[in-house]
């Protein structure tokens, strides 16, 4: 295999998408230091680019990267003469895999341990979510910033502060004891949900869907449901992911371009996932009052159970959004509610509900607000205003597939 072989670059990129979380979490066991572990894992990926052209792409890329990163970590620790001295982050002193599994009640996935480390209550909620997305999921700082609707420098500083606080607080690398779990699960659910939404509609790149992130979020949600089967929040989260991701195969056309919900072939939806998700949503809604994820899952269920777009019960969806806005006030939830109002009561009502959101600072760079306005303006026949809104949405959208979709809608207005 020759240096510069495109197959190597593709294999390394695929390993980054699929294996980053495993490799980093396993390396943290050795370093007990998040920054050092990140450095060693990045070195391992860089080494793969130079080693694999000569040796061939290994059958198990994750194992190769993990071994390389951990060897690099041990080498650095020996050089620093710290291998035998307790470091301030993690409690495991053995590399034996069975011992941590016994202590965490049979949950043997290092990724889940790392989620709980990053979601420790000594950190702020935003720091918990941001750090987990950065470390566990391998998202760039720019991608995490986009998920939070903040600037990249702000997010970089937030992540750095969170890492320092973990080290100073001597946070252990483990799944919390059963008595500690209820207080920690809300943060973990938010992490998994943001991970899913980032993969469901990727903020940057050429593809609308990052399947690796979607599948990772689904895996983590299932792990949490196994760990906490009685948690309504976890059941609601898993239901939401299943019901939303059930439409995955119908969201793109044969050219990889986005297909709007109204135009999707519902026969391509995963009806097994819908059945499972609806059952979980019903369980989650039995909690009083129902939680945020249960309400969001209920909204997704209304869409999934409708036989067609025209049969969608928009009044019920607006009512569910009213409950959600009261429970979890958010500009994005208000935006989604306004869109639902537009389909329930007509485009003029939807536009009236959207207009006050123009002053929301968090939505200033959010392309979906401009795109929603454009849709309603077009339906009202205000073509010039709709074109301006589509052009604004294009300026604010970083994903190539979504940009192509918006450009096509703009061209249709020209015609």
């Amino acid at each position: 295999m020759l240096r510069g072989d495109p197959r190597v670059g593709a294999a390394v990129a695929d390993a980054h998408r699929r294996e980053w979380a495993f490799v980093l979490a396993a390396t943290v066991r050795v370093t007990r230091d998040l920054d050092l572990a990140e450095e060693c894992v990045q070195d391992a990926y860089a080494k793969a680019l130079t080693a694999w052209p000569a040796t061939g792409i290994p059958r198990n890329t994750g194992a190769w990267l993990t071994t390389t990163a951990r060897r690099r970590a041990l080498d650095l620790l020996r050089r620093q003469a710290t291998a035998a001295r307790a470091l301030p982050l993690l409690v495991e002193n053995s590399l034996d895999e069975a011992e941590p599994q016994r202590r965490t009640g049979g949950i043997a996935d290092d990724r889940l341990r790392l989620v709980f480390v990053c979601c420790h209550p000594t950190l702020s909620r935003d720091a918990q979510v941001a750090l987990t997305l950065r470390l566990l999921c391998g998202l760039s700082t720019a991608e995490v910033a986009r998920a939070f609707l903040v600037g990249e420098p702000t997010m970089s500083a937030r992540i750095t502060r969170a890492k320092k606080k973990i080290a100073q607080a001597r946070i252990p690398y483990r799944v919390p004891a059963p008595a500690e779990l209820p207080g920690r699960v809300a943060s973990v659910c938010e992490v998994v949900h943001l991970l899913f939404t980032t993969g469901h509609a990727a903020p940057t790149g050429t593809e609308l869907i990052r399947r690796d992130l979607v599948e990772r979020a689904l895996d983590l949600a299932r792990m949490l449901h196994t760990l906490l089967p009685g948690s309504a929040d976890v059941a609601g989260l898993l239901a939401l992911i299943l019901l939303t991701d059930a439409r995955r195969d119908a969201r793109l056309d044969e050219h990889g371009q986005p297909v709007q919900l109204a135009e999707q072939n519902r026969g391509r939806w995963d009806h097994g996932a819908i059945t499972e998700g609806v059952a979980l949503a019903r369980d989650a809604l039995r909690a009083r009052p129902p939680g945020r994820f249960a309400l969001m899952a209920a909204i997704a269920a209304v869409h999934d159970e409708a036989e067609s777009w025209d049969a969608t019960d928009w009044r019920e969806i607006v009512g569910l959004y009213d409950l959600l806005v009261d429970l979890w006030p958010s500009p994005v939830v208000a935006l989604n509610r306004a869109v639902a109002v537009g389909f329930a009561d007509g485009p003029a009502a939807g536009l009236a509900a959207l207009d006050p959101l123009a002053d929301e600072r968090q939505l200033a760079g959010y392309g979906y607000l401009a795109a929603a306005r454009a849709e309603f303006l077009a339906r009202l026949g205000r073509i010039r205003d709709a074109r301006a809104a589509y052009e604004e949405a294009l300026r604010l959208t970083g994903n190539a597939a979504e940009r192509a979709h918006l450009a096509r809608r703009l061209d249709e207005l020209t015609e």
Side-chain angles (χ1 to χ4, degrees):
M1 195 172 292
L2 301 176
R3 180 179 293 274
D5 189 328
R7 289 175 296 176
V8 170
V12 172
D14 183 68
H16 186 274
R17 287 191 299 270
R18 297 183 180 278
E19 308 289 355
W20 172 272
F22 293 102
V23 178
L24 179 64
T27 306
V28 169
R29 273 179 187 265
V30 177
T31 64
R32 310 180 191 90
D33 180 277
L34 294 173
D35 283 324
L36 182 57
E38 264 200 291
E39 177 186 337
C40 293
V41 173
Q42 289 166 354
D43 286 349
Y45 277 93
K47 187 172 182 179
L49 288 171
T50 58
W52 292 359
T55 63
I57 298 169
R59 179 175 299 178
N60 189 333
T61 56
W64 189 97
L65 290 161
T66 300
T67 299
T68 302
R70 291 174 71 152
R71 284 176 177 168
R72 174 64 173 160
L74 288 169
D75 182 55
L76 289 175
L77 290 170
R78 290 188 187 103
R79 289 186 192 180
Q80 298 167 8
T82 58
R85 186 169 71 244
L87 295 179
L89 176 59
L90 308 177
V91 297
E92 278 82 6
N93 290 319
S94 169
L95 299 185
D96 174 38
E97 299 293 327
E99 176 61 21
Q101 182 174 354
R102 286 194 295 271
R103 283 204 295 267
T104 57
I107 303 299
D109 196 302
D110 277 330
R111 296 172 302 169
L112 193 57
R113 295 188 188 96
L114 189 54
V115 168
F116 278 106
V117 170
C118 295
C119 295
H120 195 274
T122 59
L123 303 176
S124 70
R125 178 61 58 84
D126 283 352
Q128 292 170 355
V129 179
L131 188 60
T132 305
L133 291 174
R134 176 73 186 94
L135 294 179
L136 185 88
C137 307
L139 298 186
S140 68
T141 302
E143 288 174 311
V144 180
R146 173 76 176 181
F148 275 88
L149 306 178
V150 300
E152 186 174 350
T154 299
M155 183 54 63
S156 179
R158 186 178 297 172
I159 290 172
T160 298
R161 287 195 300 270
K163 287 180 180 178
K164 289 180 178 177
K165 196 163 188 178
I166 284 177
Q168 293 166 355
R170 299 174 179 264
I171 293 173
Y173 184 41
R174 61 178 176 82
V175 175
E180 302 173 41
L181 279 172
R184 300 276 295 278
V185 72
S187 297
V188 176
C189 284
E190 186 166 351
V191 168
V192 177
H193 179 245
L194 261 180
L195 172 59
F196 172 72
T197 57
T198 303
H200 178 73
T204 59
T206 59
E207 298 180 353
L208 176 66
I209 304 169
R210 284 191 59 178
R211 294 176 183 269
D212 57 315
L213 298 185
V214 170
E215 289 164 5
R216 197 172 296 168
L218 182 56
D219 287 346
L220 287 169
R222 287 198 183 280
M223 286 181 205
L224 286 172
H225 190 54
T226 299
L227 186 65
L228 296 170
S231 170
D233 285 339
V234 172
L237 172 66
L238 180 55
L240 174 62
I241 293 176
L242 286 166
L243 291 165
T244 307
D245 190 47
R247 311 174 203 136
R248 187 197 307 185
D249 289 344
R251 292 180 62 213
L252 301 173
D253 64 18
E254 63 273 17
H255 305 295
Q257 297 302 309
V259 179
Q260 290 185 313
L261 185 60
E263 300 164 358
Q264 288 177 15
N265 178 358
R266 297 182 180 223
R268 298 186 63 194
W269 290 359
D270 185 341
H271 294 280
I274 291 172
T275 299
E276 182 184 1
V278 167
L280 284 164
R282 286 173 178 160
D283 288 343
L285 287 168
R286 291 191 181 101
R288 288 292 179 268
R292 160 192 167 191
F293 294 115
L295 291 172
M296 294 169 74
I299 293 167
V302 174
H303 283 295
D304 287 3
E305 292 189 305
E307 293 183 359
S308 66
W309 173 259
D310 292 337
T312 304
D313 189 341
W314 289 104
R315 296 287 180 190
E316 182 177 359
I317 290 175
V318 172
L320 288 167
Y321 271 122
D322 287 339
L323 295 174
L324 186 58
V325 167
D326 288 340
L327 177 68
W328 186 56
S330 158
V332 174
V333 173
L335 168 59
N336 291 334
R337 179 192 176 278
V339 171
V341 168
F343 288 115
D345 299 327
L351 199 61
L354 286 172
D355 283 343
L357 301 178
D359 297 327
E360 288 285 351
R361 180 178 56 83
Q362 284 184 281
L363 297 179
Y366 199 52
Y368 292 122
L369 173 57
R373 292 190 71 255
E375 289 286 333
F376 288 146
L377 287 165
R379 290 173 61 191
L380 289 168
R382 295 169 55 182
I383 303 303
R384 181 177 298 179
D385 291 337
R387 284 183 54 80
Y390 273 126
E391 288 167 355
E392 180 185 358
L394 272 166
R395 289 194 299 272
L396 297 175
T397 300
N399 182 277
E402 288 191 325
R403 286 181 58 82
H405 170 73
L406 291 168
R408 186 169 67 250
R409 301 290 286 179
L410 184 58
D411 288 343
E412 289 169 354
L413 285 181
T414 303
E415 295 169 2

